[in-house]
Amino acid sequence: MFKGTTILAIKHKGEVSISGDGQISMGNTIMKNNTKKIRKLYDDKVLTGFAGASADAMTLFEKFEKKIDELHGNLPKAVISLAKEWRTDKILRKLEAILIVADKKHIFIVSGTGAVSYTHLTL
């Protein structure tokens, strides 16, 4: 499912950056090599990136954007809310993607199993 996908997040000196390979593939065939897998949300204060099925990730981006707006930029609460919905919703549960979301304080990885990985490193 995630073969060939690369998403990287780094936090350094109060700044955060996410980068992706931009590649969409089917099996061993690269279909597109310049896809934008990174988006800025909530007045450019939150960065998101994805690995996995592109169409599924777009659905998750939209869901997450609504959550971050509803929760006024509270990234931890938005991530937990998305993970709960993703895990319990019969349709969302079948989506094959992973999101990485970050702001200047947090970096989270969210998967459809309901798993949330968190890092809070200061370099």
Side-chain angles (χ1 to χ4, degrees):
M1 171 173 77
F2 301 114
K3 182 179 177 184
T5 298
T6 302
I7 295 292
L8 173 71
I10 187 167
K11 184 177 162 214
H12 184 65
K13 294 184 180 180
E15 297 293 326
V16 67
S17 179
I18 298 177
S19 181
D21 64 359
Q23 180 175 300
I24 294 180
S25 54
M26 287 183 66
N28 292 328
T29 305
I30 298 171
M31 304 300 287
K32 191 173 181 184
N33 64 358
N34 61 350
T35 301
K36 293 183 181 180
K37 293 184 175 182
I38 312 300
R39 287 192 180 176
K40 293 179 182 179
L41 302 176
Y42 200 71
D43 295 325
D44 296 344
K45 294 177 185 171
V46 175
L47 291 174
T48 62
F50 76 89
S54 298
D56 292 354
M58 295 304 124
T59 300
L60 295 170
F61 272 144
E62 290 173 9
K63 289 272 184 195
F64 182 72
E65 186 170 22
K66 287 178 186 173
K67 301 274 184 204
I68 198 76
D69 287 341
E70 287 171 7
L71 295 166
H72 308 288
N74 187 323
L75 186 59
K77 284 187 178 183
V79 166
I80 296 301
S81 180
L82 176 67
K84 284 180 183 178
E85 184 177 351
W86 193 353
R87 175 75 174 132
T88 58
D89 186 278
K90 289 181 182 181
I91 294 172
L92 289 181
R93 198 169 39 214
K94 295 179 183 184
L95 298 181
E96 296 182 359
I98 292 177
L99 290 183
I100 188 165
V101 296
D103 63 12
K104 290 185 177 189
K105 295 181 182 177
H106 313 91
I107 298 174
F108 293 96
I109 299 172
V110 190
S111 76
T113 62
V116 175
S117 300
Y118 168 71
T119 183
H120 181 82
L121 301 173
T122 304
L123 301 175

